């Protein structure tokens, strides 16, 4: 009888020729546990999903309670379902008044697709501007606005009318014109290795979009819900987008995404044609219940107020000659190393010693450090000791 790993290789679609093949049977808090009981400290939060760690009891209880009441009833937007309504109301209470209408979908990529459709429908324009080295998902539309040709060249032709500008370069903002439907930009660039823009740039971007009647779409799929030290990352820059894209931590571990806008803009999807965007499982009641529980827990436990101090502790402990710089904000950090080969060796040794770290899609020489927000100072110290030992092991002065 083949073991589970062999069955995985035989029957689960593969995304690389060299999967990690780590096998886990339990996850709790900041730890994942393999079948032998070995604990691995999760420093990547399932790539930004598990802001509250794994299997938080309040989220688990919310999932159980909702599953006992009902699960799927109807395609999104037709029935009044309490979990959807309560979650959307809670988000609206925490967002600026321009962002009061939420369309729940299944994932970040689908949220991007919906946001792009909404911008084109509302403005009547066809041009989309995105940034070089951006990442917004892997579906056809999201791939079209990815700013890395290596990952998209095999799938052309893609969406027409997409142009790319340099991130955090105000000189390129004049490319936004009255023909531009939207600018789609990550509030902090994630897969580029955590690039934090200047506040002046973000404010100039907002002003240029307003001047040209262009909708500003902020992709906060990876950075929202406290990860940067603010509930939403755009709060660092004193701007408000026309459309906000959310996912990952939105569901507390359950699959859900959303795009949020004003009632006026969002209403464009309801006529000419009606059903302008449709999703069968979007806003799944169990996912919405989990997301609401996660959001309320995040606020009740005051975790966001702790993020800056935990960032400072990481930075103070990760001082090593092999680290060229540490970029990022809050608990979303990129430690830049010499090259991918060195980075991969260090990552593999960290995993071997029970610390899960990773690299970035568009910046393979940087190590991803983005733990659950519940991580303790003691756990940070433990993780940094393992990373430092791995750096020492491979570093040649």
């Amino acid at each position: 009888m083949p073991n589970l790993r062999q069955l995985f290789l035989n029957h689960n679609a593969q995304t690389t020729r060299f999967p990690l093949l780590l096998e886990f049977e339990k996850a709790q808090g900041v730890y994942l546990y393999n079948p032998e009981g070995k604990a691995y400290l999760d420093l990547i939060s399932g790539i930004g999903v598990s802001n509250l760690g794994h299997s938080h009891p309040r989220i688990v209880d919310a999932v159980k309670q909702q599953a006992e009441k009902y699960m799927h009833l109807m395609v999104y937007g037709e029935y009044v379902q309490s979990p959807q309504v309560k979650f959307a109301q809670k988000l609206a209470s925490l967002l600026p008044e321009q962002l009061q209408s939420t369309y729940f979908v299944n994932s970040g990529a689908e949220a991007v697709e919906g946001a792009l459709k909404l911008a084109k429908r509302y403005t009547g324009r066809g041009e989309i501007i995105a940034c070089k080295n951006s990442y917004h998902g892997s579906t056809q539309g999201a791939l079209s606005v990815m700013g890395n040709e290596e990952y998209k060249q095999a799938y052309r032709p893609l969406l027409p009318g997409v142009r790319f500008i340099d991130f955090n370069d105000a000189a390129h903002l004049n490319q936004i014109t009255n023909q531009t439907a939207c600018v789609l930009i990550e509030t902090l660039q994630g897969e580029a290795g955590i690039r934090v823009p200047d506040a002046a740039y973000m404010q100039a971007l907002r002003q240029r979009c307003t001047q040209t009647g262009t909708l500003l779409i902020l992709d906060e799929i990876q950075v929202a819900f406290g990860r940067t030290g603010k509930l939403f990352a755009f709060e660092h820059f004193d701007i408000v987008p026309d459309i906000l894209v959310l996912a990952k931590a939105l569901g507390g571990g359950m699959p859900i995404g959303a795009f949020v806008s004003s009632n006026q803009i969002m209403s464009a999807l309801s006529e000419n044609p009606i059903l302008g965007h449709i999703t069968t499982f979007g806003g799944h009641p169990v996912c919405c219940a989990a997301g609401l529980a996660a959001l309320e827990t995040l606020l009740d436990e005051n975790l966001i107020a702790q993020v800056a101090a935990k960032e400072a502790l990481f930075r103070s402990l990760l001082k090593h000659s092999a680290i060229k710089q540490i970029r990022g904000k809050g608990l979303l950090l990129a430690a830049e190393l010499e090259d991918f080969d060195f980075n991969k060796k260090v990552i593999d040794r960290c995993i071997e010693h029970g610390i899960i770290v990773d690299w970035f899609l568009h910046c393979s020489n940087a190590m991803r450090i983005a733990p659950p927000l519940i991580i303790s100072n003691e756990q940070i110290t433990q993780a940094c000791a393992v990373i430092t030992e791995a750096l020492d092991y491979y570093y040649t002065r």
Side-chain angles (χ1 to χ4, degrees):
M1 178 68 180
N3 63 26
L4 194 62
R5 292 185 184 186
Q6 190 57 55
L7 291 171
F8 167 81
L9 293 170
N10 289 347
H11 302 299
N12 289 75
Q14 302 295 296
T15 56
T16 74
R17 300 293 186 188
F18 43 88
L20 288 171
L21 289 178
L22 294 169
E23 184 180 340
F24 299 109
E25 65 174 25
K26 179 183 176 181
Q28 189 75 45
V30 298
Y31 292 102
L32 311 175
Y33 298 89
N34 73 8
E36 291 74 43
K38 179 179 178 179
Y40 292 78
L41 201 164
D42 183 4
L43 278 197
I44 59 174
S45 304
I47 312 298
V49 169
S50 304
N51 276 16
L52 298 183
H54 301 277
S55 301
H56 192 288
R58 284 182 62 175
I59 300 172
V60 172
D61 286 345
V63 168
K64 289 179 178 179
Q65 291 176 27
Q66 183 55 45
E68 289 175 350
K69 293 177 181 177
Y70 61 84
M71 290 187 277
H72 176 73
L73 298 181
M74 177 60 164
V75 297
Y76 182 71
E78 292 298 308
Y79 292 175
V80 179
Q81 301 182 52
S82 176
Q84 294 175 352
V85 174
K86 290 180 178 179
F87 197 14
Q89 179 188 33
K90 185 65 176 182
L91 287 170
S93 73
L94 298 167
L95 285 164
E97 61 181 1
Q98 303 97 308
L99 299 171
Q100 294 292 291
S101 180
T102 296
Y103 195 124
F104 289 117
V105 291
N106 299 283
S107 68
E110 189 186 345
V112 168
E113 299 280 356
L116 294 176
K117 285 177 63 178
L118 177 59
K120 292 167 74 174
R121 175 68 186 87
Y122 181 76
T123 64
R125 304 173 183 178
E127 181 182 77
I128 297 168
I129 290 180
C131 288
K132 298 172 185 175
N133 290 320
S134 61
Y135 181 79
H136 301 287
S138 293
T139 50
Q140 288 279 298
L143 192 65
S144 300
V145 290
M146 180 194 289
N148 185 317
E149 187 61 25
E150 177 184 356
Y151 287 97
K152 57 200 276 189
Q153 52 82 26
Y155 305 101
R156 291 191 176 280
L158 295 168
L159 282 182
V162 179
R163 299 173 60 191
F164 291 91
I165 60 176
D166 288 338
F167 184 76
N168 201 31
D169 186 344
H172 285 204
L173 296 182
N174 60 6
Q175 295 185 42
I176 305 167
T177 71
N178 59 11
Q179 300 301 308
T180 309
C182 61
V183 175
L184 171 62
I185 186 171
E186 297 161 273
T187 313
L188 279 69
Q189 277 200 323
E191 295 309 310
I194 316 302
R195 311 288 172 165
V196 183
D198 300 326
Y201 169 78
M202 295 298 279
Q203 290 163 10
L205 170 64
R206 172 68 274 181
Q207 183 179 17
R208 181 64 180 172
C209 287
T210 301
Q211 288 173 343
T212 59
T214 300
L215 298 189
L216 175 59
I217 305 175
L218 290 185
D219 177 342
E220 296 217 356
I221 290 169
Q222 190 167 183
V223 300
F225 303 108
R227 182 146 296 279
T228 67
K230 298 282 189 181
L231 184 58
F232 300 102
F234 66 78
E235 297 177 72
H236 290 288
F237 305 105
D238 195 27
I239 62 170
V240 178
D242 298 296
I243 304 174
L244 178 66
V245 180
L246 303 168
K248 291 192 180 288
L250 177 68
M254 294 292 284
I256 191 170
F259 55 104
V260 188
S261 191
S262 67
N263 287 306
Q264 178 184 354
I265 293 173
M266 195 70 80
S267 67
L269 294 177
S270 64
E271 58 182 357
N272 298 322
I274 63 168
L275 303 173
H277 192 68
I278 308 171
T279 171
T280 299
F281 293 110
H284 192 281
V286 177
C287 297
C288 284
L292 178 58
L295 181 53
E296 290 177 339
T297 302
L298 175 69
L299 299 173
D300 291 347
E301 296 186 1
N302 201 29
L303 292 170
I304 299 174
Q306 305 169 28
V307 168
K310 291 176 180 179
E311 174 191 0
L313 182 57
F314 267 112
R315 289 182 180 273
S316 70
L317 295 174
L318 290 178
K319 294 186 182 296
H320 194 283
S321 300
I323 299 177
K324 296 180 177 297
Q325 65 171 320
I326 296 178
R327 294 185 299 272
K329 189 176 272 300
L331 290 177
L332 183 63
L333 302 173
E336 184 176 336
L337 305 178
E338 181 65 33
D339 54 35
F340 174 70
D341 290 339
F342 178 73
N343 190 27
K344 187 65 167 64
K345 289 177 183 178
V346 172
I347 288 169
D348 288 346
R349 186 169 179 84
C350 286
I351 293 174
E352 181 183 345
H353 287 81
I355 303 295
I356 297 179
V357 286
D358 202 2
W359 47 282
F360 295 91
L361 198 61
H362 304 332
C363 187
S364 62
N365 67 319
M367 178 188 295
R368 183 193 304 267
I369 300 171
L373 307 189
I374 63 170
I375 192 170
S376 69
N377 290 343
E378 292 76 15
Q379 290 162 342
I380 292 172
T381 301
Q382 173 198 351
C384 290
V386 173
I387 294 171
T388 300
E389 186 280 332
L391 291 169
D392 283 338
Y393 188 83
Y394 289 111
Y395 183 58
T396 302
R397 291 167 178 79

